[in-house]
Amino acid sequence: MADTKTLIELKTEAFGILTGIDPSQPIAPEDLETIGVYVDPLLAQLAQDEIVYIPDSDEIPNEYFLPVARLLANAAGPRYGSPMNP
């Protein structure tokens, strides 16, 4: 089993959290692109706040994967009609 997850896996998981769609279901490329615009700013903010530094968004350590996916879903929420939870 891999010790890291990819950017595609992160965006897919975040979209599933946000919409309730099973991550095994196909997701439209436009939705992955929409979620994707929030990845770099989120990872930069986590590093700036000295929470965690993830240098490569295609190698997300497993221990950070779900928390980062949840934060990503929260950040993208307003684009899908869900309020951001502070």
Side-chain angles (χ1 to χ4, degrees), residues 1-6 9 59-67:
M1 184 162 112
D3 293 335
T4 62
K5 302 282 188 184
T6 66
E9 290 172 305
E59 292 186 8
I60 302 161
N62 287 340
E63 62 266 25
Y64 302 127
F65 178 73
L66 283 177

Side-chain angles (χ1 to χ4, degrees), residues 31-86:
D31 287 320
L32 290 178
E33 186 176 321
T34 298
I35 292 258
V37 301
Y38 297 95
V39 173
D40 288 340
L42 173 61
L43 296 181
Q45 188 67 52
L46 291 172
Q48 181 179 343
D49 292 345
E50 298 181 357
I51 295 169
V52 66
Y53 175 61
I54 301 173
D56 185 346
S57 62
D58 239 354
E59 292 186 8
I60 302 161
N62 287 340
E63 62 266 25
Y64 302 127
F65 178 73
L66 283 177
V68 172
R70 289 181 188 118
L71 290 170
L72 181 58
N74 187 49
R79 292 291 298 254
Y80 292 91
S82 177
M84 186 179 284
N85 184 347

